[in-house]
Amino acid sequence: MSGSNSGGGSNGAMPTYVGMPAFPKAAREAVADTRLRSNLAHATGTIRDRRQRAVAELADWAELREAAKQIKDHTLRHLDHYLVMLEEKVTAAGGTVHWARDADEANAIVARLVKETGEREVVKVKSMATQEIGLNEALAEEGITAYETDLAELIVQLGDDRPSHILVPAIHKNRAEIREIFQRTMPSAPDDLTDDPAALAEASRRHLRAKFLSAKVAVSGANFAIAETGTVLVVESEGNGRMCLTLPETLITVMGIEKLLPTARDLEVFLQVLPRSSTAERMNPYTSAWTGVHEGDGPSAFHLVLLDNGRTAVNEDPVGRQALRCIRCSACLNVCPVYARAGGHAYGSPYPGPIGAILSPQIRGIGSEVDASLPFASSLCGACYEVCPVAIDIPRVLVHLRARSAKKTPERLAMGVAAWSLRTPKRLAAVQRAASRGRRFARHVRVPRAWADTRDVPVPPAESFRQWWQRREGR
C-alpha cells in the first residue's frame, strides 16, 4: 500500500492514509461512487443475513456475549499481571518476547529479526496489527518485501490499494475488477482467466504456492494468546495461515497486548462468538495454535512482539477502554448504515467502520482533522452495539469522544451556557425571566445555519411555567 504514512496522529502511532481528508469530505466523495455503493450493499447485506441466522442457532447467545465481555474486562483490569505470565510461558517454551511501545519500535524489531535471518522476503498472515503500524511499508524501506497471502489482502496489495473492511479487505471490489487486477499484475495468471470465483481462487493459489514453499520467514498477527500456557492462536478460513505458520523456519508474531486471555478455558467462549459474528460459521475452518517451538515440528524460531501503541493509555479511560474488548469480527461494519454508504476508505485509518471511529482516535490521539472527525461518523442508531459479540457500547464511546474532540464552536458555547443555567434552580429561573422579557428580539437572534436550516428558532413564552405556577398557586 503506497498510500500511507505514519504521520496521521498526534503521536504518529498509526498510519493515516496520505491525502485523506476528514470524514465528511471523504464520505461525500465515496457516496457519489455508485459502483462502490453497489459492491458494499451486496456484500454487507449477504454477510449480515448469514450472521443473523448463525447467531439465532444458539439459545444462549446472550449469555455467551456477556461471558465474553466479562472475560475481556477482567483481563484488561489485570493486564500487567497476565502479560508478565504470558512472557514467562512463551520464554519457557523456547520463544522470545519483545516489547514495543509504539509502531516505530515494533517495525524496527521486526525488520531487525528478518535481517538477522539473512532473508529479504517474508510471507504474511492477514493481520490488523501489522496494518496498524504500517509494517509492509516499513519493511520495504529496509529492503524487505512482504507478500500478503490472504486472498483479499493479496487483491488489495496487487492493486496498490488500501483495505476497506476488517474481515473482507477487498469488499469494495467486484469480480470483474479482481480479474483485471490479476491479469495485470500476476504473471502466472492464465490469459483466459474468467471472473468465476473458483477460477480467481485457483489463480491466487498457484501464485502463492511458490512463496509458501520458498519463504524462510513468516509474519503473523494473533487473534488470541493464552497467558497460562503461552499459546498463541490464529483463526482463518483459507488455509494460508496454516501454511505460513508451519512451513517457514522463523515465525514473527505481532500482537496487540489486548488480545490476551487468562486461561485456555476462556478460549471456549471466543471460539463460539467470533466465527458466528464474522464469517457466520459455526466454527473457523482453520484454528492454528502454537506454544513456543518444537524440534522437527514447525518453525525453529518464534518471536512474539507485544504491541502497546497507545493501548495502555486507552485502558486508563473508564469509558473508552471497552474498545479494547474488540475481537475484530467486523459485525459492526456490516450493520452500520454509514459504512454501507461511505465504505472503509473514508475513515482514513486501517480500522474502518464503527469500531474504527472509536479505536483510531484513541490510539492515534485526536490531534488531526481526520481523527477529530471520526467520532462524528455515525448516526448513533445503536445497531453496532446490538451485534457486537463482546458488548462494546460503541454509541456511548462515540459521544464520549465527541465531547473530547469538539472545537470551540457556537454550538459548544451554547451548550456551555445551557449547562451553567441548568446547574441550579435559581439560575434557571433567572434565565427564564430574562428570556421572557427579551422575547420580541428572539427572531433576530443569529444561530448557526447548520442548526437553523432544519429548525425554527423558538420564541420564549411571555410567562414561564414557573411564573404561571407561582401566580396560580400563590407561591
Side-chain angles (χ1 to χ4, degrees):
M1 296 185 300
S2 60
S4 65
N5 70 0
S6 58
S10 60
N11 57 3
M14 185 199 302
T16 296
Y17 300 128
V18 169
M20 286 297 296
F23 183 85
K25 182 178 180 181
R28 193 176 301 115
E29 295 174 356
V31 167
D33 187 338
T34 56
R35 183 169 62 176
L36 172 66
R37 292 185 62 176
S38 175
N39 293 346
L40 288 171
H42 173 73
T44 58
T46 300
I47 298 172
R48 182 172 61 246
D49 293 343
R50 289 176 55 198
R51 176 207 169 272
Q52 187 173 359
R53 291 194 296 271
V55 168
E57 292 179 350
L58 296 181
D60 61 344
W61 176 258
E63 289 78 8
L64 281 169
R65 185 179 189 236
E66 179 62 24
K69 171 188 173 181
Q70 292 191 21
I71 292 169
K72 277 289 188 178
D73 284 348
H74 167 80
T75 309
L76 292 171
R77 286 195 301 270
H78 305 282
L79 193 56
D80 52 350
H81 167 73
Y82 288 119
L83 284 171
V84 171
M85 183 185 298
L86 176 69
E87 180 182 31
E88 291 174 350
K89 297 298 183 180
V90 171
T91 303
T96 304
V97 175
H98 309 264
W99 298 82
R101 287 172 294 185
D102 54 28
D104 291 339
E105 279 197 6
N107 289 332
I109 290 169
V110 176
R112 173 176 57 80
L113 292 174
V114 175
K115 287 181 178 179
E116 287 176 354
T117 67
E119 298 295 316
R120 284 293 180 265
E121 292 184 352
V122 301
V123 288
K124 284 187 66 208
V125 184
K126 182 177 181 292
S127 163
M128 292 302 299
T130 58
Q131 290 177 17
E132 173 187 323
I133 63 178
L135 179 63
N136 288 11
E137 294 79 8
L139 291 179
E141 292 178 0
E142 298 291 334
I144 301 168
T145 303
Y147 293 98
E148 297 289 352
T149 64
D150 174 83
L151 176 56
E153 287 285 355
L154 175 65
I155 294 167
V156 168
Q157 185 178 45
L158 293 178
D160 196 25
D161 199 353
R162 300 186 299 269
S164 63
H165 192 277
I166 291 176
L167 177 66
V168 193
I171 196 171
H172 55 290
K173 297 292 187 183
N174 59 34
R175 291 184 297 174
E177 292 173 297
I178 295 170
R179 172 183 174 275
E180 186 278 327
I181 291 172
F182 280 9
Q183 286 200 315
R184 174 167 49 85
T185 62
M186 193 181 288
S188 60
D191 295 334
D192 59 348
L193 180 65
T194 69
D195 63 1
D196 177 69
L200 295 174
E202 179 63 22
S204 66
R205 187 179 296 113
R206 291 180 179 276
H207 172 75
L208 290 172
R209 182 66 60 174
K211 298 300 179 185
F212 287 138
L213 296 176
S214 63
K216 296 295 195 305
V217 182
V219 175
S220 84
N223 290 98
F224 307 104
I226 309 302
E228 72 171 354
T229 61
T231 303
V232 184
L233 294 97
V234 164
V235 296
E236 40 102 10
S237 301
E238 299 174 10
N240 62 297
R242 182 68 57 82
M243 300 285 280
C244 291
L245 298 169
T246 55
L247 293 178
E249 297 174 359
T250 299
L251 173 60
I252 304 169
T253 297
V254 181
M255 185 189 88
I257 56 176
E258 82 283 10
K259 295 298 183 69
L260 199 54
L261 298 176
T263 69
R265 185 176 182 181
D266 298 324
L267 188 64
E268 175 190 354
V269 174
F270 292 93
L271 289 184
Q272 293 185 73
V273 299
L274 176 57
R276 291 178 187 268
S277 292
S278 56
T279 56
E281 296 169 299
R282 295 182 179 91
M283 64 181 293
N284 291 100
Y286 296 91
T287 300
S288 301
W290 64 97
T291 307
V293 295
H294 302 273
E295 186 176 355
D297 182 13
S300 57
F302 169 56
H303 299 271
L304 176 62
V305 181
L306 295 174
L307 177 69
D308 187 317
N309 206 37
R311 287 162 172 78
T312 297
V314 176
N315 200 27
E316 293 172 354
D317 184 336
V319 177
R321 70 162 63 109
Q322 58 185 299
L324 297 179
R325 293 184 204 145
C326 178
I327 56 176
R328 310 294 192 263
C329 70
S330 77
C332 62
L333 280 71
N334 300 324
V335 299
C336 178
V338 176
Y339 175 86
R341 288 156 179 80
H345 292 160
Y347 292 82
S349 164
Y351 296 108
I355 187 61
I358 65 171
L359 188 59
S360 299
Q362 293 193 87
I363 290 179
R364 297 193 300 207
I366 305 176
S368 70
E369 188 179 4
V370 172
D371 291 304
S373 71
L374 288 179
F376 298 89
S378 170
S379 65
L380 299 180
C381 68
C384 50
Y385 171 61
E386 295 299 323
V387 300
C388 178
V390 288
I392 301 172
D393 192 345
I394 294 178
R396 183 188 178 199
V397 182
L398 285 168
V399 173
H400 173 64
L401 294 177
R402 287 180 182 187
R404 285 171 47 185
S405 64
K407 298 179 181 178
K408 293 182 179 180
T409 60
E411 294 94 329
R412 187 175 183 183
L413 178 62
M415 291 300 103
V417 172
W420 181 88
S421 304
L422 295 169
R423 196 161 289 134
T424 67
K426 288 185 177 180
R427 289 181 187 177
L428 178 59
V431 170
Q432 289 175 332
R433 287 195 298 270
S436 296
R437 291 169 184 166
R439 64 190 302 269
R440 61 181 176 177
F441 302 107
R443 292 290 185 187
H444 304 288
V445 175
R446 297 186 65 182
V447 296
R449 178 181 294 180
W451 192 91
D453 281 350
T454 56
R455 303 172 179 86
D456 292 327
V457 179
V459 177
E463 185 179 41
S464 71
F465 175 81
R466 287 170 177 270
Q467 292 170 326
W468 173 83
W469 183 264
Q470 188 175 31
R471 176 173 55 79
R472 182 177 181 275
E473 300 295 325
R475 55 187 174 87

